[in-house]
Amino acid sequence: MTPKITFEEHFMAPGFEKYSEAFLKLMPADQSGQLVQRLNGFDGERIELMDRGGIVRTVLSLTGPGAQSESLDRAVDSARRANDFLAEKIAAQPDRLSGFASLPMHDPDAAIAELQRTVRDMGFLGCLVNGHTHGTYYDGPEYDAFWAELERLGVPFYLHPINAHADPYVIRDVPVLQGAVWGWGVEAGSHALRLLFGGVFDRFPGVKVVLGHMGEGLPFLRWRFDSRFRAYPQGVDLRLAPSEYFTRNIVITTSGVCSHASLMGAVGEMGADGVMFSVDYPYEDTAAAVDFIETAPLDDEARRKVCHDTAAALLGLPLLAEAA
Ligand code: ZN
């Protein structure tokens, strides 16, 4: 079995339960009960599933919407508490678990301080942010210092979905389309495109933004982004064609999309240096995700990259050849 790293994998920290209730209550009670149990588990089943799937390391992040839903006066403290809680859990199993920080993006300076504390002092491998903060997106100049620090630290920013700030008119009366089925992907994909077309990757060429769920569908539209941007630039000036920021700055995981056709399309668009395996545990099934990637029609080198080495390079972990 190919050794794997996964890094869209969630946990629940004490004090954040109420923020997740909105989507947990949409599930049947038996499923949501098991989900909460799995979110709260750091050993036992979580590690057993990793062992069975050849997952050598998993990078944990606080489940959504987390700190992004909190008020500014609470967010700084509670992100700190969630990160301290995670650090304790990692310390108990440091050879298997790593962490992505929660950040109070409400205030760029506070986000920078928490990023520095968690990455520099606590060994976290980056951050996972659940989209916008009360309708604020991170392409504006007030976030330049944040992107500069992320680039300087050399760690990735996982842009995870969240509910739209205001539901788009077209789905405002169709609840089933507002969440994980469709709306979250549109929200996260649009946020990533705001960063791209807002010039964040021109100002900070070393920044890496990770999108889950097979890149929220964006890899499949690279050609069209170039073609229509050439036709309608609307005063936006980018150093590269939009497609060229994929893999260079936007990388993706396979979390929650276990389709060989989609995987091969994404690898065709971005190469095996831009596509990485992940599960989205406990929302998705680890065994199904492992089976999907083990049976994917990739050659050995591409499978090694997608399962392990591309993530290892992104996260500053040893590559398989180095570890052997
Ligand atoms: Zn997720």
Side-chain angles (χ1 to χ4, degrees), residues 9 17 28 35 41 60 86-87 101 140 144 148 191 205 212 231 238 243 245 248 293 300 308:
E9 320 304 331
E17 298 86 351
L35 190 76
L60 300 178
L86 177 56
D144 276 2
H191 195 163
L238 294 175
S243 65
Y245 296 94
R248 177 187 186 262
I293 204 67
D300 288 350
H308 188 283

Side-chain angles (χ1 to χ4, degrees), residues 52-112:
R52 248 179 273 156
I55 299 167
V56 295
R57 179 169 294 279
T58 192
V59 185
L60 300 178
S61 50
L62 178 62
T63 195
Q68 269 57 66
S69 272
E70 301 213 290
S71 57
L72 169 61
D73 60 324
R74 285 182 50 94
V76 175
D77 265 359
S78 63
R80 219 182 147 89
R81 263 189 294 110
N83 293 330
D84 288 347
F85 174 78
L86 177 56
E88 276 174 35
K89 298 296 180 186
I90 294 170
Q93 301 179 88
D95 52 333
R96 304 303 296 278
L97 304 180
S98 295
F100 276 158
S102 287
L103 296 179
M105 295 298 286
H106 313 54
D107 172 358
D109 289 337
I112 290 170

Side-chain angles (χ1 to χ4, degrees), residues 160-245:
H160 190 271
I162 193 173
N163 287 338
H165 183 57
D167 283 311
Y169 188 75
V170 65
I171 54 172
R172 82 204 179 286
D173 53 353
V174 193
V176 71
L177 293 180
Q178 291 166 6
V181 171
W182 176 245
W184 287 355
V186 173
E187 174 67 27
S190 300
H191 195 163
L193 292 175
R194 283 185 70 123
L195 301 177
L196 193 166
F197 285 94
V200 169
F201 305 133
D202 282 344
R203 299 197 290 282
F204 308 101
V207 160
K208 295 276 193 186
V209 170
V210 187
L211 288 175
H213 317 112
M214 212 60 90
E216 312 293 1
L218 299 189
F220 307 104
L221 292 170
R222 285 173 69 241
W223 194 93
R224 183 163 175 81
F225 294 146
D226 289 356
S227 137
R228 294 305 86 191
F229 178 57
R230 252 193 322 272
Y232 312 112
Q234 304 201 57
V236 173
D237 188 21
L238 294 175
R239 286 196 197 137
L240 305 174
S243 65
E244 294 178 278
Y245 296 94

Side-chain angles (χ1 to χ4, degrees), residues 8 10 160 213 280:
E8 188 188 323
H10 305 300
H160 190 271
H213 317 112
D280 205 357

